[in-house]
Amino acid sequence: MTPSARPLARTVATVVAVVAIALLAGCAPDPADAPATSSSSGTPTPTDSPTPEASPTPSATPVSLPTDCRAILTEAVLAQLDGVPLNDPAFTGTGVQPDGTLVCTWGRPDTDTGRLQTTISSMSRGPALDMLNGLAAEGYSCYTPTGGTRCEKVWINEQYPVNDGRTLFWRQDVMIDTQYTDLAPAGYTDAVIAGVFG
């Protein structure tokens, strides 16, 4: 080998060595990916246990629609409704409907006031929120208590000097819709919510 070729050979060898080192370094695992080792005391570190695989978040347990208008109310609310007929035969479409909806109508058919009707039905999130947003635009007060969305409004009856009102509560694909005229027992909606969702 000529003297001029020796430096070239050394340069090529150096470049090859540097490339080889770089390639090996590129194959080395990242310290964050390396399995943790146990400490000298023998106590395993938190990363010694296998990392659970990601899984879909389980959906909320489906809620069954109630079938008994009295059973979903508390004794305190029932006491306020004492003497008020429930689902009088003159009112059509009360009780459990073919689709499972429960309609509870408290009041006398021979009066225009002193009446309250609650409808408990299945309603998916999209239609429910569209409905509640529409009511908010109509002046209903809406808020989010007890894991659901509640909208309510009270106004003066157009014919009689009494209060009318409507309260809706949606949660877990169940809509509770109560409309009343001059009959609003204290704690009624809260009792129904507790009776439906537990």
Side-chain angles (χ1 to χ4, degrees), residues 69-147:
C69 296
R70 291 182 183 275
I72 58 176
L73 298 177
T74 61
E75 290 299 323
V77 172
L78 287 171
Q80 297 173 69
L81 292 168
D82 187 39
V84 180
L86 170 63
N87 293 342
D88 188 286
F91 295 122
T92 59
T94 61
V96 178
Q97 305 302 299
D99 64 354
T101 295
L102 177 64
V103 180
C104 306
T105 302
W106 298 85
R108 294 181 177 81
D110 58 347
T111 63
D112 294 329
T113 61
R115 188 175 303 159
L116 177 154
Q117 183 177 78
T118 296
T119 302
I120 305 171
S121 61
S122 297
M123 186 177 293
S124 60
R125 179 182 177 84
L129 295 185
D130 286 345
M131 178 182 181
L132 296 175
N133 285 332
L135 291 175
E138 295 176 16
Y140 280 70
S141 296
C142 296
Y143 54 105
T144 53
T146 57

Side-chain angles (χ1 to χ4, degrees), residues 7 18 21 39 49 51 60 73 75 83 86 92 101 139 145 170-171 181 189:
V18 169
I21 291 169
S39 62
S49 58
T51 303
L73 298 177
E75 290 299 323
L86 170 63
T92 59
T101 295
W170 179 86
R171 175 175 153 192
T181 178
T189 297

